[in-house]
Amino acid sequence: EYVNVFIENKYRVITYDQYGRGYSDRIHSKVSIDLLEKQLKELIEHCEVEDVILYGVSFGASIAAKYASNNLDKISFIGYQVPLINSPNIPLLSILKIPLYGDLLIRGFLVPSVLKRIEEYEDLMSKELIDHYIKQFEVKGTENFFKKFFLGNAMSNRLKDHSIIGSNSISSYFAYAEDDIEIDSKQVEEAIKKYNNPTVKKYSGGHFFSAGIEREVAQELSLIHISEPTR
């Protein structure tokens, strides 16, 4: 839904599945924020994009911030939706380090809970998107990937990246929900303080607040970027 609006507004749109997500490769080695930033960097270079507008959702916002802080000269605008700022405090993650119990936890608790979170939004999302979300967990190696993902530094603190981006006056946009139980809104607000006059939109509806109103959110974002002065 977002992509259609951006195309209608004359943007060139590149969207992709991160390693381990969708039908992208499952990585067997260490899963780190540096690896996922490298994937984005290689994609941008392959597509020969020089003037980059980044829009990251949830964990995707962490990757966007990591890339932008290291490639300031390429970024003209950056937007974040329900951005993950720091790793959530999940006590059960320590159990993942135990070989047998870690595998059982991934298979019996973590993956089922991730799948269950989407159920309440099924009436608001397209069947294509729901199917894509669910079937990605059937790809061989997904459980092992998520184990490495949660044990690595992929969800490490990104406040330093936000400070670098914010201090360089890059036009920015934040959209988040104060009732999001997955993303701490206080952490998002702490990140917002690192920016000089960002556009900030608060919603209700939790982590998937945009379900059902994607076109409205995308159109608003397009209008904000168009009205922003270029550097």
Side-chain angles (χ1 to χ4, degrees):
E1 292 82 355
Y2 278 54
V3 170
N4 291 334
V5 173
F6 295 148
I7 291 174
E8 290 165 8
N9 282 278
K10 311 303 181 184
Y11 289 92
R12 177 191 182 192
V13 183
I14 302 169
T15 180
Y16 73 107
D17 284 325
Q18 302 150 14
Y19 289 136
R21 307 294 180 89
Y23 305 117
S24 283
D25 292 345
R26 273 42 177 169
I27 302 299
H28 302 292
S29 57
K30 181 180 178 181
V31 179
S32 67
I33 187 68
D34 304 279
L35 172 68
L36 296 169
E37 177 204 14
K38 184 172 182 284
Q39 182 190 20
L40 174 58
K41 184 174 187 292
E42 289 174 345
L43 176 62
I44 290 172
E45 291 175 350
H46 175 77
C47 295
E48 300 181 343
V49 182
E50 295 297 330
D51 182 19
V52 182
I53 300 167
L54 282 180
Y55 193 69
V57 180
S58 192
F59 176 67
S62 295
I63 300 174
K66 175 72 172 174
Y67 173 85
S69 68
N70 289 328
N71 299 274
L72 295 167
D73 59 319
K74 289 185 175 294
I75 308 298
S76 63
F77 185 93
I78 188 164
Y80 311 98
Q81 181 173 314
V82 293
L84 177 67
I85 307 300
N86 198 4
S87 178
N89 181 24
I90 305 175
L92 286 174
L93 290 183
S94 60
I95 304 177
L96 291 179
K97 298 178 181 179
I98 307 174
L100 177 59
Y101 288 102
D103 293 339
L104 289 174
L105 181 63
I106 286 284
R107 186 172 298 110
F109 174 76
L110 190 58
V111 171
S113 65
V114 170
L115 287 171
K116 187 173 179 58
R117 74 205 272 256
I118 206 72
E119 289 180 357
E120 60 186 288
Y121 299 96
E122 286 182 338
D123 293 338
L124 297 173
M125 293 182 176
S126 68
K127 185 179 184 302
E128 181 183 13
L129 182 59
I130 292 292
D131 287 345
H132 186 79
Y133 181 88
I134 293 173
K135 290 181 179 179
Q136 67 178 322
F137 291 94
E138 298 174 5
V139 178
K140 184 178 179 180
T142 299
E143 291 180 3
N144 188 49
F145 173 86
F146 272 96
K147 180 179 177 181
K148 294 179 181 297
F149 175 84
F150 283 110
L151 289 178
N153 75 342
M155 296 190 294
S156 52
N157 198 314
R158 301 268 60 85
L159 270 181
K160 183 178 179 181
D161 293 331
H162 287 289
S163 294
I164 294 172
I165 300 165
S167 64
N168 279 269
S169 302
I170 292 175
S171 299
S172 54
Y173 168 91
F174 284 83
Y176 69 105
E178 293 180 295
D179 57 354
D180 188 342
I181 62 173
E182 299 186 31
I183 300 294
D184 186 347
S185 62
K186 299 299 181 185
Q187 291 185 3
V188 177
E189 289 160 2
E190 187 176 355
I192 290 172
K193 293 177 183 177
K194 305 295 183 181
Y195 292 76
N196 180 26
N197 197 33
T199 298
V200 180
K201 300 291 182 179
K202 294 183 183 180
Y203 294 86
S204 62
H207 198 60
F208 295 96
F209 74 80
S210 64
I213 59 168
E214 293 94 345
R215 289 192 64 87
E216 296 171 37
V217 176
Q219 187 63 45
E220 180 180 68
L221 178 64
S222 298
L223 293 174
I224 289 170
H225 172 252
I226 291 170
S227 65
E228 288 281 355
T230 55
R231 291 185 298 143

